[in-house]
Amino acid sequence: MTATILILFGATYLGMALGRFPGLSIDRTGIALVAAILLLATGALDTEQLVEAVDFPTIFILLGLMILSAQYAGSGFYDWCALKVAQAARSPARLLAVIVLVAGGLSAVLANDVVVFAMTPMLCVGLLARKLDPRPYLIALAGAANAGSAATVIGNPQNILIGQVGHLDFWHFLAVCGVPALAAMLIVYVTVWLVWRGRFGEPEDAGTGGTVPVAPVPLDRWQLGKAVAATLVLLVLFTRDIPQEHAVLLVAGVMMVSRRMASRDMLGMVDWHLLILFAALFAINHALGLTGIPAALVGDLQAAGWLPDRLAVMVPLALAGSNSIGNVPAVILLLAAWPSPPEGALYGLALLSTLAGNLLLPGSLANIIVAERAAAAGVRLGFVEHARCGVPMALLSMAVAAVWLWAGGWMPL
């Protein structure tokens, strides 16, 4: 049975690295789900073990935040915001700054994947209408969303999981991670501006297919007001002695009680693929844990002094893991093998795995979402184009974060 688990585990994370298997139309979520099904079918896991493997508080927080975000989307806020951003600033420098501030700020509260999924298409439309090349602005959108999401324990899926494992307080997390996240947003802005300086106009190879007429975007201010009020209530609840998943679900439940927005429509905006991916990876990693291999490996690493509880190990590990199998699977895998990391290492893992995702296009789900949504809007964002900005963005922001963690005493060198 151990051999079966190892084969399925290896195939799953190979699929995470490749994004799909050649010749098959199966993505990361499908690969993980099929592997989990095969673990059940072969008897490597039974139903009780599978249920035990899933970290339901993390799933509940993700689900609740997606429902809250659906309230924003249903009000038309994301489209309205993206279009206003694209039309607001006259100069490329100011427009770039607005995109970085809006994407980073929203991602800190509403989760980066949701923000970039909603904003990318309309941002492309607005930029094309102004005869601007969307590519540098899209790179900034993804980079700032990743950077801003590093500031809070609900900013991205991996932070949510880390927060649940370590029972991390929302406001203390912000105090530790907020400054390097802001610095990373500034690095995103400066990097994109320097790399693309003088080339923000629409070139012939942008793949845009000409300008696109922009229709006005309606904004339901009542529904937006409900969403903002719910967000403020959620932040207040995070100061109370109540489990975070309870607070998020409570707010989400209230949002679903509406006279104008159907609950079916709100649930239709939930990223069920991401929730299934999380659940399946939990099951696969739990199966590997039952073999005893991860525990033995952690013991060997601890004896050799190579646990990622110091920056010299955590930084390259986060960089390699995030840009091979992706930062979400990498964090799930690491925490499954290392169940009791110190609190400082959890802050380091959250910051560094998130910022490392900016290095290459497949490094984070937000990057992939931006590229795919942009392609659907007629804008090609290539691997090399992203890497020209992504490599310096990631390395510089990770260096700043590492110095901050060391200077603050949260992680040793």
Side-chain angles (χ1 to χ4, degrees), residues 130-141:
R130 292 182 58 179
K131 296 187 180 298
L132 293 173
D133 185 350
R135 292 175 297 177
Y137 300 103
L138 293 174
I139 293 170
L141 174 69

Side-chain angles (χ1 to χ4, degrees), residues 46-215:
D46 58 33
T47 304
E48 291 183 1
Q49 289 172 325
L50 187 145
V51 172
E52 178 187 349
V54 178
D55 188 330
F56 283 102
T58 298
I59 299 292
F60 290 156
I61 291 176
L62 276 170
L63 173 61
L65 289 175
M66 289 174 184
I67 293 173
L68 176 58
S69 183
Q71 178 70 34
Y72 280 94
S75 72
F77 171 73
Y78 288 127
D79 286 345
W80 176 86
C81 186
L83 191 56
K84 287 294 182 182
V85 165
Q87 295 175 338
R90 292 296 179 184
S91 71
R94 291 181 180 179
L95 176 57
L96 190 66
V98 171
I99 289 174
V100 168
L101 288 172
V102 171
L106 289 177
S107 296
V109 180
L110 298 176
N112 59 345
D113 298 338
V114 172
V115 170
V116 298
F117 181 88
M119 289 186 65
T120 299
M122 191 56 68
L123 189 61
C124 288
V125 170
L127 293 169
L128 291 173
R130 292 182 58 179
K131 296 187 180 298
L132 293 173
D133 185 350
R135 292 175 297 177
Y137 300 103
L138 293 174
I139 293 170
L141 174 69
N146 286 328
S149 74
T152 69
V153 76
I154 60 171
N156 55 56
Q158 64 268 23
N159 281 14
I160 292 171
L161 175 60
I162 291 167
Q164 288 301 300
V165 169
H167 305 288
L168 303 180
D169 176 73
F170 178 91
W171 298 104
H172 187 65
F173 189 103
L174 178 62
V176 175
C177 300
V179 171
L182 284 173
M185 289 170 59
L186 178 60
I187 289 169
V188 168
Y189 172 81
V190 173
T191 301
V192 175
W193 174 251
L194 291 177
V195 171
W196 287 84
R197 185 172 49 183
R199 298 187 293 124
F200 284 91
E202 183 180 356
E204 294 181 358
D205 65 343
T208 57
T211 60
V212 180
V214 182

Side-chain angles (χ1 to χ4, degrees), residues 71 220 222-223 226 253-263 266:
Q71 178 70 34
D220 189 328
W222 169 251
Q223 297 298 333
K226 285 178 59 179
V254 172
M255 288 298 93
M256 293 181 65
V257 181
S258 173
R259 297 178 60 185
R260 299 185 186 181
M261 293 182 63
S263 58
M266 297 185 73

